[in-house]
Structures are given as structure tokens and as C-alpha cells.
Amino acid sequence: MRSDFVAAVRRFNRTVTQRVGALDDEYMACGRPLAQARLLWEVGPDGAEVAALRARLGLDSGYLSRLLRALEGDGLVSVGPAEQAGGDARVRVAALTPAGRAAWAELDERSDGFASSILAPLTEHRREQLVAAMAQVERLLIASMVVVEPCPPGDPRARACLRAYAREMARRFDDGFDPALSNPVHDEELVPPAGVFLLATLNSEPVGCGAVKLHRDAPAEVKRVWVADTVRGLGVGRRILGDLERYAAARGWTTLRLDTNRNLTEAIAMYHSAGYREIEPYNSERFAHHWFEKQLDPPQG
Amino acid sequence: MRSDFVAAVRRFNRTVTQRVGALDDEYMACGRPLAQARLLWEVGPDGAEVAALRARLGLDSGYLSRLLRALEGDGLVSVGPAEQAGGDARVRVAALTPAGRAAWAELDERSDGFASSILAPLTEHRREQLVAAMAQVERLLIASMVVVEPCPPGDPRARACLRAYAREMARRFDDGFDPALSNPVHDEELVPPAGVFLLATLNSEPVGCGAVKLHRDAPAEVKRVWVADTVRGLGVGRRILGDLERYAAARGWTTLRLDTNRNLTEAIAMYHSAGYREIEPYNSERFAHHWFEKQLDPPQG
DNA sequence: TCGATTGCCTGACTAAAGTCAGCGATATGC
DNA sequence: GCATATCGCTGACTTTAGTCAGGCAATCGA
């Protein structure tokens, strides 16, 4: 890694995350303990399930419970059973009381005030530059926080991706998409040694996937590449594809193939720029219009 | 303030300072309590005075002392009297022991590792973008953290600026600069109601200054505008000048004048772009080649 | 339908972070 | 030379943050 890049990132971490972060916390806290303030914020005007709060804030179950009791004691939130009938009677929902709503609004206002105080001393031109640069940093940091790793296709997060994949294909293909009419992909084919399913997550939320089938005596085949639109354009698809290629290459396959629909223009552009070349149809996939192939480099090291 | 700008800054604060900040702390801590790790880092290979550490970290005197004892207990730092003879015998200096130097190096390495881990998942092109955007954000946040406020010209920080000003003039003028040969500016003239001295600080370090003399029955006069090169190009000079203009206008002056040396090209450009126009000499300042004047807008509100 | 699990809770605990008053030695101002 | 401040230190204290074991009720799986 270039040492000037590393130094620049470190300087950024120091100056920005330390100073701005500390100030932001202070503004947020507003007299209250920081953890309580954060929790109050996360409960939000619409309320939230206790389990969701625990996941979002990454807190211990006991600790969260205690924090909720403290906020309840201050009359800011009320924790009760879930509204909807027939729901799980164990899950409880935290909601803001009127006083809590007021405190929340104050937090919101203070946050706005802090952001404004950062922009205020700058000229309009510099404000635009700062906002643009912040958006860029945020975008690229999000890209860098996406984790791609193997995952059983039966995992709920994998299932969520596969459902999202099917939904998107149904939406984008000219004549819809019915998995039953498409060449089937069975879970067993996406589990080593037959193949692999890769899941991309951002803060442990699923945001993309991809799979490869290692056919015996035939080129390996890429399937089910999908990226959530919240992280599109950040290179996640490219990373998934690259990892799939390395996976196949590491196991001795020298050729990778895939088929795709003509409406998936970004995907087609990505395959081209990743070194795939279009070939004659190698299967009778009903929803495919283009077939691609790439010769894999032998594994490094 | 534009609400989309405010929202963008808030999103940035949330995503970047929270997540990256928290991770950075974790990497930094390295098993140790965070406060100890930070202190160890601030002591650094060259050592540091206890008072300086207190100022930099913003810690309570007692707390800092305790933290130092803890690090001493772990054999990482040694606190002793200041080296130099004749110094204040009360001030004490913290220095790293060999073990402390090793721990410090480990912190340094971990920080590098963390920065690398942010860059690692990105393509080279995106790395360049990220580093550039981070540098931009840092630059502009620094600009926004500079505080400009009135200050007695006798304040040590003001004195430091005035010394730096004289040093820089001596360096840049063709034939040096001797305040004794220049039109004199006395401290009393820079104290209300005769005038004002503005000090620009970054994290309470002085980084710039400027003054205005409110002459009776004559245009007000700008003097001693200087900006440290660490924050040059961030609009600090412009802010100081603007504040001086508002100060004079608020007290009824309608015209502002100043003189400057031909070698101070950035300053001359700034005066031009701030609406000053060149006029005939209005004084016999030995080191001046250009004289400027601006009509002030009456105060708002 | 019974055992295991899950969701939320409480009690008991620890560690870290931070505050405050005051002490002893040194330095400074009048 | 004396009062007054400053510098760093210690002791006593509080608050915040967080962990862990276990308990109760609802739910799920076989």
C-alpha cells in the first residue's frame, strides 16, 4: 500500500473522526449520558422493537434493557408489547412519549445546529466543495466497508438476496422472470465442492451476492450476481465477480461462463470491462440474450 | 443554511465519524484502556511536558496524573523533571521507556494497518479518489474550525502572531523589514474604542491576525493582517478582513484604507477581489508600494 | 406435548472515565 | 520577604459503560 495514501487516511482519521466525532457526541449527548441519547435517537418518532435497537446499536441485551428503564424513568419512552395482534408476544416495542418526542426533536435540532455550525464559517463555494467531498468520502468508505464472503445459500441473508434478485429480474426483463421456467440452480450446487455462494454485506446487512457452479468436465458458470441499489456503482459487483473467478481458478478451472439478459446493461458493461468476451449460446436459458466467457489466470502464489 | 447541505453533513458525521471513529479507537486501544493508549501515543518518541499533554488531550490534571502513573506502572513511560537546566522545576516531562517505545511503535503499526484495511478493498482508482476527497474534507473542516475573535494585542498569542508577522515581512520584503522604521502601531490604538485586534485560532493555537485603527476624522485603517502558512488558502485572511470591515462599519466608519508591499502578491490579490481599489499614497509608509481603499456598506440589521 | 430456544428482563458485578478538594514544592509580583 | 499563584500529585468520590448468569414467559420443533 502506498505510504502516502496510508498517511493521508491516518491524518483524516485523526483530524476528522476524532475532533468532529467528539464534538458530535457532545452535541448529541445534551446533558444526558451518551448511550441514552443515542438510544433515544434510535427509538425515533415511529418507535422501534427492542431487538432492532439492540442490533442497530450493538448493545448487550441486559445493558439495553437498563437504558430503556432509565429513559422510561425519565418519562421519555414507554416500552410495551407489540401493537399488531397475532405478533410474537415476547417482542416489545419502545415508543416515545410526548416528552420523549420533544427531547428527540431537540436532539434533531442540535444535530442540525452542529452541521450548520460547520458550514457557517465557510463561503458558499467552499460549502459546496465540502459537501461534495463529504459525499465522496462517505460513498467510498461505504464501498470499503462491504464484506464479501462465502455463505451457505440457505442462510436467511442469502435467501433475502436471492429473493431480491428474482424480484429485480422480474421487474427488468421484458417478459418478467419466473425461476421455474429458467434453468434451475439448486442449493447443493452452490455449496463446496460443487460451487460456492458469496454474500456481500454492509454492517452485516446483505447487499449483494453471486455464485459459481463448478461443473465437472465443463467450464465453471457464474450465476445469481446481484447488487442492492443502495450500493450500486461502488464496485461491489466487480469484487464479487473477481472473488468468484479466483475461487474457480484456485480449484483448477480455467474457463468461466455466464449468460445474461439484454436489459441488464450495467452487468453487460461490467462483464466486458472485466475481460469477458461474448460467445455463442452454450445453453438454452430462456431469459438469456447474451453469453460470455473468460479465460482465468492460474492462481497466484 | 441550505437544508440539503445540512443533511449531507449530518449523514457524513453519522456514517464516517461514528463507524470509522469507533473502529479507529478499537485499533488504537489494543487491549489497553483507550485513554491510556491515546496518552501513550501523545507522549510520543520525543517525550512531552505534562502540561502540553493535558492541553492536547483536554484532560483533568488529576486524571492525567493517574494515567501517567498507570503507564509508569506498566513500565512504558517515565516521568521526570525537565531536562534543560534553568527551566521551571515544577514542570515535568514524560518520556517513553524502551518498552514504551516498542508499544508506541505497535500503535503506529496498527494505525497504519487500519488505514490500509480501509484502502485495501478498493481499486487503485477509487483509492486515489478517496484519498483526495479525504484531504479536501480535512482541509475544509480545518478552515471551518478556525475561530476569529477580538483579543487584546498584549495577549501572548497575539504577540506570537505579531512576531511572526514581522519575521515574515523581513523575509519577503526586498530590503527587509524593521518595525522601528515603519509607521508605528501602538497597542493602545488596537484596543476599543480606538481600534481592534482580531486573533484567528485553530484549536486555540494562534494562526492569524489582523487589526483596524479607527482614526478620528479620517478613514479607518487596516493593519497587521497575517495568516500562518499552515492555514493559508483556506479563506482565513478573507474572514479576518471581512470581520475588520464589519467592525469599522458598525462603528460608523464608511471608508477603509490600507497600505501594502509589492511582494505580498496574494494579499494584493485578496484586496482586489474583496472590492478594494488602488489609490494614491495616503501616508509615507517606507515599506509600502500600494495603497488601497474600500467604501464600506452600512451595517446590516 | 415436552424439551429446547428465543426475547426481554433483573441482579450482581467490574472496569473505565472523570471530578473535586486539597497538598507540597516551586515560582512570581509587589 | 511575604502573599499569591502555578504545577503536578494524591485520595476519595461519582457516573457511565459494559459483562455475565440466571429467570420468566412465549414460541418453536419434533
Side-chain angles (χ1 to χ4, degrees), chain A residues 34-45:
Chain A
L34 185 56
Q36 277 183 38
R38 272 208 240 280
L39 177 54
L40 182 65
W41 176 258
E42 284 296 336
V43 171

Side-chain angles (χ1 to χ4, degrees), chain A residues 83 115 170 204-205:
Chain A
E83 290 291 299
S204 38
E205 294 290 309

Side-chain angles (χ1 to χ4, degrees), chain B residues 181-241:
Chain B
L181 302 178
S182 173
N183 286 353
V185 179
H186 301 107
D187 280 3
E188 319 82 78
E189 296 177 296
L190 307 184
V191 175
V196 74
F197 183 87
L198 297 183
L199 181 70
T201 52
L202 172 62
N203 303 136
S204 38
E205 293 291 310
V207 291
C209 65
V212 67
K213 294 207 281 191
L214 301 177
H215 297 292
R216 285 170 189 276
D217 309 319
E221 191 181 8
V222 170
K223 302 295 288 180
R224 305 289 187 247
V225 174
W226 171 79
V227 173
D229 42 4
T230 50
V231 295
R232 238 166 248 184
L234 299 179
V236 174
R238 184 72 63 104
R239 275 176 65 193
I240 293 172
L241 191 60

Side-chain angles (χ1 to χ4, degrees), chain A residues 50-51 54 61 65-66 69 90-92:
Chain A
V50 173
R54 201 168 47 222
S61 152
S65 188
R66 214 173 304 281
R69 283 311 80 72
R90 290 168 306 180
V91 313
R92 310 235 295 155

Side-chain angles (χ1 to χ4, degrees), chain B residues 50-51 54 61 65-66 69 90 92:
Chain B
V50 172
R54 202 167 47 220
S61 152
S65 187
R66 215 173 304 281
R69 283 312 81 68
R90 288 170 306 180
R92 310 234 296 157

Side-chain angles (χ1 to χ4, degrees), chain A:
Chain A
M1 191 68 59
R2 279 176 55 178
S3 69
D4 55 334
F5 277 20
V6 170
V9 172
R10 285 185 61 174
R11 214 171 35 242
F12 175 88
N13 285 354
R14 235 183 106 71
T15 321
V16 178
T17 71
Q18 295 288 56
R19 273 189 218 291
V20 179
L23 281 176
D24 196 39
D25 283 353
E26 230 172 88
Y27 268 76
M28 182 64 136
C30 188
R32 233 180 304 279
L34 185 56
Q36 277 183 38
R38 272 208 240 280
L39 177 54
L40 182 65
W41 176 258
E42 284 296 336
V43 171
D46 301 330
E49 296 187 358
V50 173
L53 294 171
R54 201 168 47 222
R56 262 185 279 166
L57 292 163
L59 298 176
D60 171 83
S61 152
Y63 183 34
L64 175 63
S65 188
R66 214 173 304 281
L67 288 173
L68 282 171
R69 283 311 80 72
L71 289 176
E72 257 183 337
D74 293 349
L76 300 176
V77 312
S78 63
V79 181
E83 290 291 299
Q84 74 195 91
D88 190 328
R90 290 168 306 180
V91 313
R92 310 235 295 155
V93 171
L96 295 179
T97 63
R101 224 177 296 274
W104 189 89
E106 197 197 332
L107 282 189
D108 191 51
E109 208 169 303
R110 287 175 68 93
S111 254
D112 266 9
F114 178 56
S116 298
S117 78
I118 288 175
L119 292 170
L122 301 177
T123 59
E124 184 64 20
H125 179 233
R126 285 199 172 87
R127 283 179 200 164
E128 280 165 22
Q129 289 184 321
L130 179 57
V131 167
M134 280 181 164
Q136 175 85 322
V137 168
E138 199 188 333
R139 219 177 75 88
L140 290 167
L141 281 180
I142 286 174
S144 127
M145 291 192 309
V146 170
V147 175
V148 176
E149 55 191 358
C151 167
D155 184 287
R157 296 168 306 168
R159 287 262 91 93
C161 282
L162 290 169
R163 274 196 306 276
Y165 169 86
R167 254 198 325 275
E168 178 160 351
M169 299 307 124
R171 188 168 57 75
R172 297 187 62 182
F173 291 0
D174 291 326
D175 40 1
F177 175 65
D178 180 355
L181 302 177
S182 172
N183 286 351
V185 180
H186 301 104
D187 280 3
E188 318 82 79
E189 296 176 297
L190 307 184
V191 175
V196 74
F197 183 88
L198 297 184
L199 180 70
T201 53
L202 173 62
N203 304 136
S204 38
E205 294 290 309
V207 291
C209 66
V212 67
K213 296 207 283 191
L214 300 176
H215 296 293
R216 286 169 188 279
D217 309 320
E221 192 182 8
V222 170
K223 303 296 286 182
R224 303 291 188 247
V225 173
W226 171 79
V227 174
D229 42 4
T230 50
V231 294
R232 237 164 249 184
L234 299 180
V236 174
R238 183 72 63 102
R239 275 176 65 194
I240 293 172
L241 192 60
D243 286 0
L244 292 174
E245 291 171 5
R246 273 183 292 279
Y247 187 90
R251 276 149 195 83
W253 270 256
T254 56
T255 308
L256 211 48
R257 282 179 179 169
L258 58 88
D259 61 63
T260 194
N261 185 281
R262 66 181 160 217
N263 288 358
L264 303 179
T265 49
E266 342 77 272
I268 292 171
M270 176 176 82
Y271 295 136
H272 272 128
S273 83
Y276 287 74
R277 62 184 189 78
E278 190 152 4
I279 57 172
E280 291 299 303
Y282 63 86
N283 65 12
S284 56
E285 169 61 46
R286 177 187 159 141
F287 297 100
H289 304 101
H290 300 281
W291 289 259
F292 287 93
E293 183 177 283
K294 179 178 182 177
Q295 298 305 319
L296 299 178
D297 298 326
Q300 302 289 328

